[in-house]
């Protein structure tokens, strides 16, 4: 029954209108306020064995994991196009480097069938992979709450389907709202973790996954020492898969060691002859294009995953943590450390592997790059397509009411309702790359 005094559905969602409701049962009733959202919701309640049940606590540490009860609600599941809900137990901990010092934390959690956490439980949350391991990105610093989503969404079309076997090379992200300890905890980006399963190594395929967490590149001697001493981490490069043991250390590290030796410690002649045996050049072209479109200043060694699959025989790269993008840079000053960087409009993103491939034109890489750029410019990399996606994500956050609720919950978080800076950046950046890439193939 309609009521002209009440807002319509769209207005209810966008404005976060609250309805007074009475919950009646037996001889008792309770009064509450109901607020609706158009986004999926995750409800997390921490469990205390000492207290014998769930608690109102919102305190989650990096270690050890906190046991929890987990509930998932989606008003329009992407797979079934229906309302979906499910619940289970789990364990959760905080994650992140610089972001961990802010009030709103990012999390990683695993799902289990019951609170004993003996049997894992898979869920296909938000239409993403059917799995038990997940990441929640707080998106605290980035002012628009769009940059991470836009970057991952573009990568999904540029390079994620690299193997052509339904493997997602990298991650995907979806917006959700989180209730923690009975309290509204804000807007998050739900992400698939970049693990062995994500790179297609969970079906008995042989290979390795490496996570790079700092700007330091280990030397060949350090990597040989890691093999000798069965170490899984050197200079904040970690073998995430397989488990490093006496029998597996050499095989686990060898693809990465070959990459470092040829890229950082070899002559131009040796680099030209050998790097094509180690690096997947199609993936390299996709990664160069992606990082230069978004100007991913924080993803040119740090915040990368590298993976090796024996059936492919080459190393590939995938991005992670893309909030420093589309004209942002990181600095020491300011509460949130991110600021608009005018030079980002012009800057060509470099890495030693990129520089040597282009300078030496290994295996005619300049032509490979130009042809791939031309192909993508006709599909996903028009200025209109990129900005259309940005505005779609922004509208989703505004129309669901999530953006306003997150602003009220975290008033010190970066926030703007204006995408004009991203618009200005994209409208300049794409033609700038057109000219730069054309210059690479000029005689």
């Amino acid at each position: 029954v309609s009521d002209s005094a009440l807002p319509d559905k769209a207005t209810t969602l966008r404005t976060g209108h609250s309805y007074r409701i009475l919950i009646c049962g037996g001889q008792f009733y309770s009064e509450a306020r109901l607020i609706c959202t158009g986004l999926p919701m995750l409800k997390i309640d921490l469990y205390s064995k000492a207290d014998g049940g769930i608690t109102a606590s919102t305190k989650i540490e990096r270690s050890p994991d906190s046991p929890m009860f987990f509930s998932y609600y989606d008003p329009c599941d992407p797979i079934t196009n229906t309302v979906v809900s499910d619940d289970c137990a789990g364990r959760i901990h905080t994650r992140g480097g610089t972001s961990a010092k802010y009030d709103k934390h990012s999390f990683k959690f695993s799902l289990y069938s019951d609170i004993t956490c003996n049997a894992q439980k898979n869920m296909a949350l938000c239409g993403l992979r059917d799995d038990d391991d997940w990441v929640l990105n707080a998106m605290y610093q980035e002012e628009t709450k769009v940059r991470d989503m836009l970057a991952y969404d573009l990568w999904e079309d540029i390079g994620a389907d690299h193997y052509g076997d339904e493997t997602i090379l990298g991650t995907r992200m979806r917006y959700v709202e989180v209730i923690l300890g009975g309290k509204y905890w804000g807007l998050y980006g739900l992400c698939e973790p970049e693990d062995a399963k994500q790179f297609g190594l969970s079906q008995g395929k042989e290979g390795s996954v490496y996570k790079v967490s700092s700007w330091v590149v280990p030397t060949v001697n350090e990597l040989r020492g890691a093999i000798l001493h069965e170490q899984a981490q050197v200079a904040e490069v970690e073998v995430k898969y397989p488990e490093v043991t006496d029998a597996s250390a050499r095989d686990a590290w060898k693809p990465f060691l070959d990459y470092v030796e040829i890229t950082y410690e070899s002559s131009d002649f040796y680099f030209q002859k050998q790097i094509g045996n180690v690096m997947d050049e199609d993936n390299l072209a996709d990664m160069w294009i992606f990082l230069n479109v978004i100007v991913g200043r924080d993803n040119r060694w740090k915040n990368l995953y590298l993976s090796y699959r024996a059936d492919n025989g080459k190393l590939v790269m995938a991005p992670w943590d893309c909030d420093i993008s589309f004209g942002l840079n990181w600095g020491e000053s300011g509460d949130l450390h991110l600021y608009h960087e005018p030079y980002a409009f012009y800057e060509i993103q470099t890495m030693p592997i990129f520089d040597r491939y282009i300078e030496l034109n290994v295996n005619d890489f300049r032509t490979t790059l130009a042809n791939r750029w031309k192909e993508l410019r006709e599909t996903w990399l028009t200025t209109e397509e990129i900005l259309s996606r940005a505005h779609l994500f922004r509208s989703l956050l505004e129309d669901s009411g999530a953006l306003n609720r997150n602003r009220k919950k975290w008033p010190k978080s970066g926030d703007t309702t204006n995408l004009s800076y991203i618009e200005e950046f994209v409208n300049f950046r794409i033609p700038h790359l057109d000219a730069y890439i054309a210059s690479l193939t000029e005689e």
Side-chain angles (χ1 to χ4, degrees):
V1 179
S2 63
D3 187 333
S4 60
L6 297 176
D8 58 22
K9 178 180 177 181
T11 303
T12 294
L13 294 175
R14 185 176 62 255
T15 62
H17 180 84
S18 66
Y19 293 89
R20 178 174 176 262
I21 62 173
L22 295 176
I23 304 170
C24 301
Q27 300 180 12
F28 303 93
Y29 76 90
S30 177
E31 181 177 343
R33 307 296 298 187
L34 174 67
I35 298 175
C36 302
T37 179
L39 292 183
M41 294 197 68
L42 308 184
K43 184 172 181 287
I44 296 169
D45 292 300
L46 302 184
Y47 171 81
S48 170
K49 186 176 181 179
D51 296 334
I54 64 172
T55 73
S57 174
T58 59
K59 187 175 182 180
I60 299 173
E61 305 288 354
R62 184 179 292 269
S63 180
D65 291 350
S66 299
M68 68 172 184
F69 285 107
F70 175 84
S71 300
Y72 166 62
Y73 308 90
D74 195 333
C76 187
D77 178 76
I79 297 176
T80 65
N81 291 320
T82 61
V83 176
V84 170
S85 65
D86 204 348
D87 56 77
C88 64
R91 301 190 71 86
I92 187 169
H93 64 266
T94 62
R95 67 176 306 278
T98 303
S99 63
K101 72 182 183 65
Y102 297 117
D103 294 334
K104 183 186 180 187
H105 293 155
S106 295
F107 304 111
K108 183 173 183 181
F109 64 91
S110 299
L111 304 178
Y112 294 87
S113 296
D114 57 55
I115 202 63
T116 64
C117 295
N118 291 323
Q120 295 173 326
K121 175 167 178 165
N122 291 346
M123 286 189 189
L125 304 179
C126 301
L128 301 176
R129 75 184 198 182
D130 188 24
D131 206 75
D132 60 300
D133 289 327
W134 297 92
V135 170
L136 281 170
N137 181 359
M139 299 185 295
Y140 187 84
Q141 295 169 273
E142 201 274 297
E143 57 187 5
T144 68
K145 315 306 179 193
V146 164
R147 284 180 169 91
D148 257 319
M149 178 68 91
L150 180 58
Y152 290 141
D153 197 58
L154 287 173
W155 176 249
E156 191 173 344
D157 287 317
I158 293 172
D161 189 27
H162 178 75
Y163 292 117
D165 61 359
E166 299 184 358
T167 297
I168 300 297
L169 186 62
T171 188
R172 296 175 292 182
M173 189 171 102
R174 300 292 184 265
Y175 291 126
V176 297
E177 292 185 88
V178 173
I179 305 293
L180 175 61
K183 302 176 179 66
Y184 180 74
W185 216 247
L187 173 70
Y188 276 81
L190 178 73
C191 299
E192 299 159 324
E194 299 197 32
D195 53 20
K197 289 173 282 188
Q198 197 73 359
F199 291 109
L201 293 172
S202 60
Q203 305 298 324
K205 292 186 174 73
E206 295 181 6
S208 301
V209 177
Y210 312 94
K211 181 181 180 181
V212 182
S213 301
S214 80
W215 294 107
V216 179
V217 180
T219 66
V220 169
N221 283 339
E222 287 175 325
L223 291 168
R224 287 173 178 157
I227 294 173
L228 180 64
H229 298 291
E230 304 161 33
Q231 295 172 323
Q233 183 169 329
V234 180
E236 293 195 61
V237 176
E238 181 183 2
V239 179
K240 302 295 289 185
Y241 178 88
E243 182 179 355
V244 175
T245 64
D246 182 29
S248 70
R250 182 182 183 281
D251 290 340
W253 277 113
K254 187 176 187 308
F256 192 87
L257 187 153
D258 290 343
Y259 171 84
V260 169
E261 182 174 27
I262 296 170
T263 302
Y264 292 89
E265 300 186 19
S266 73
S267 66
D268 287 348
F269 176 80
Y270 191 78
F271 181 86
Q272 288 179 290
K273 292 294 184 182
Q274 295 297 325
I275 191 61
N277 297 323
V278 173
M279 177 56 61
D280 188 309
E281 293 171 351
D282 290 335
N283 167 261
L284 189 70
D286 285 343
M287 181 58 68
W288 188 97
I289 289 170
F290 171 75
L291 291 183
N292 274 282
V293 166
I294 72 168
V295 184
R297 283 167 158 254
D298 209 27
N299 305 93
R300 296 175 295 173
W301 179 250
K302 178 188 174 188
N303 292 331
L304 286 180
Y305 278 81
L306 290 87
S307 176
Y308 170 83
R309 276 178 30 174
D311 60 345
N312 172 263
K314 305 288 180 67
L315 272 174
V316 295
M317 298 178 178
W320 176 259
D321 193 4
C322 297
D323 57 344
I324 300 179
S325 58
F326 297 100
L328 286 191
N329 197 7
W330 191 91
E332 295 291 345
S333 62
D335 292 338
L336 299 177
H337 298 290
L338 298 185
Y339 67 95
H340 292 167
E341 172 60 87
Y343 185 62
F345 283 61
Y346 304 88
E347 184 180 72
I348 297 300
Q349 299 305 287
T350 63
M351 287 172 57
I353 186 71
F354 292 155
D355 297 345
R356 298 191 79 177
Y357 253 98
I358 291 173
E359 181 181 347
L360 301 171
N361 198 23
V362 178
N363 298 327
D364 200 18
F365 184 71
R366 296 179 188 178
T367 299
T368 298
L369 195 60
N371 289 341
R372 182 59 172 155
W373 176 254
K374 182 176 183 295
E375 179 183 2
L376 291 170
R377 284 288 281 123
E378 294 171 352
T379 52
W380 312 118
L381 294 185
T382 66
T383 55
E384 294 80 11
E385 172 67 21
I386 297 171
L387 292 178
S388 175
R389 295 186 191 209
H391 283 281
L392 177 65
F393 296 138
R394 190 61 182 191
S395 294
L396 179 61
L397 296 179
E398 290 180 335
D399 293 346
S400 66
L403 197 64
N404 190 48
R405 281 188 291 275
N406 189 77
R407 182 186 300 118
K408 290 179 179 178
K409 174 64 180 178
W410 305 106
K412 295 182 181 179
S413 173
D415 181 77
T416 180
T417 58
N418 195 334
L419 294 184
S420 61
Y421 195 82
I422 291 180
E423 292 173 350
E424 182 183 359
F425 175 85
V426 171
N427 281 319
F428 180 91
R429 184 67 180 173
I430 298 302
H432 180 68
L433 289 176
D434 282 335
Y436 178 80
I437 292 173
S439 73
L440 294 178
T441 55
E442 290 177 355
E443 295 185 0

